[in-house]
């Protein structure tokens, strides 16, 4: 007998009844445990767009979870994202939740294999461990970290090869050359999964502070 949570905004979890399960060896050698080195593999990166041109469901869920932690970590202050893929892909969702304003908190990408940021941002956007789900933390340093799906984080820090497309988007008519196809673009900007945001938000103790009470109340009303 088993109980399963199957929600793209939650960790996939199965509970087995101890008296109803018999453990047997498969006879196969054990796989090496997953570790931080897996994040450097190209296959670990999760592209933000599906094959049909829509936003990745995993990305939408990951952004929802990340935003809940970001709201709590910054205490509702606006934030500035690092230039590049993080700002381009996450900027819209973050701005809807934490609109621009005075006294912003700086956010930087950090994790295994990345050089230390200096000056150090107020908040570090870090990957979850691919095996345990625990957020990465800089060794020997006290830092405010916001966890992010490791596959999404890996794409933001190393999106891989980009197409050498002309600025206009296509080659001039009549010019023949092997070229990359135009990438799929969703018709809307990337949004956070509302359920993932709400469910993560209400589980964070910091959200009960007076400054963040509005998020807490809105989460229960939705």
């Amino acid at each position: 007998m088993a109980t399963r949570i199957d929600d793209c905004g939650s960790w996939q979890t199965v509970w087995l009844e101890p008296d109803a399960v018999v453990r047997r060896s498969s006879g196969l050698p054990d796989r090496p445990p997953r570790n931080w080195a897996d994040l450097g593999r190209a296959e670990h990166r999760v592209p933000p767009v599906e094959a049909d041109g829509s936003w990745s469901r995993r990305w939408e869920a990951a952004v929802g979870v990340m935003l809940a932690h970001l709201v709590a970590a910054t205490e509702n202050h606006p934030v500035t994202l690092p230039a590049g893929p993080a700002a381009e892909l996450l900027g819209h969702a973050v701005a809807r939740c934490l609109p621009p304003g005075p006294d912003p908190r700086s956010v930087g990408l950090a994790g295994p294999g990345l050089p230390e940021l200096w000056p150090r941002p107020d908040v570090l956007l870090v990957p979850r461990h691919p095996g345990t789900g625990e957020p990465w933390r800089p060794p020997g340093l006290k830092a405010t970290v916001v966890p992010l799906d490791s596959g999404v984080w890996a794409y933001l820090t190393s999106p891989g090869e980009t197409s050498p497309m002309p600025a206009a988007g296509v080659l001039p008519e009549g010019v023949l050359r092997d070229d990359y196809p135009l990438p799929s673009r969703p018709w809307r900007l990337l949004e956070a999964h509302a359920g993932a945001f709400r469910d993560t938000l209400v589980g964070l103790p910091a959200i009960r502070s007076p400054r963040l009470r509005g998020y807490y109340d809105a989460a229960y009303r939705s």
Side-chain angles (χ1 to χ4, degrees), residues 50-200:
E50 304 281 6
D52 62 1
S54 64
W55 288 115
S56 164
R57 310 302 183 268
R58 181 168 166 181
W59 268 70
E60 291 176 329
V63 173
V65 174
M66 180 274 294
L67 271 180
H69 285 277
L70 187 62
V71 164
T74 61
E75 296 185 332
N76 199 28
H77 282 87
V79 300
T80 56
L81 296 171
E88 295 167 5
L89 290 165
L90 306 180
H92 173 70
V94 170
R96 288 196 63 183
C97 196
L98 297 168
D103 194 23
R105 301 293 189 259
S106 58
V107 178
L109 286 162
L114 295 185
E116 184 177 350
L117 298 172
W118 189 259
R120 190 186 309 162
D122 298 310
V123 178
L124 299 180
L125 200 58
V126 303
R128 294 183 183 273
H129 190 279
T132 67
E134 291 297 316
W136 180 88
R137 291 186 179 277
L141 297 175
K142 289 185 178 180
T144 301
V145 301
V146 167
L148 183 63
D149 179 295
S150 62
V152 173
W153 178 92
Y155 183 92
L156 289 176
T157 57
S158 182
E161 183 181 11
T162 56
S163 304
M165 299 299 295
V170 295
L171 292 170
E173 185 177 356
V175 175
L176 301 178
R177 193 186 79 188
D178 289 339
D179 211 346
Y180 291 80
L182 285 171
S184 299
R185 293 294 182 188
W187 60 271
R188 60 176 176 83
L189 296 172
L190 178 63
E191 300 278 2
H193 186 281
F197 175 75
R198 180 187 62 245
D199 293 346
T200 304

Side-chain angles (χ1 to χ4, degrees), residues 20-45:
V21 178
V22 177
R23 182 175 180 178
R24 298 185 185 279
S25 173
S26 66
L28 299 175
D30 293 337
R31 291 183 179 181
R34 303 181 69 185
N35 55 44
W36 293 119
D38 288 343
L39 274 61
R41 299 177 180 176
E43 61 270 20
H44 191 80
R45 296 194 294 264

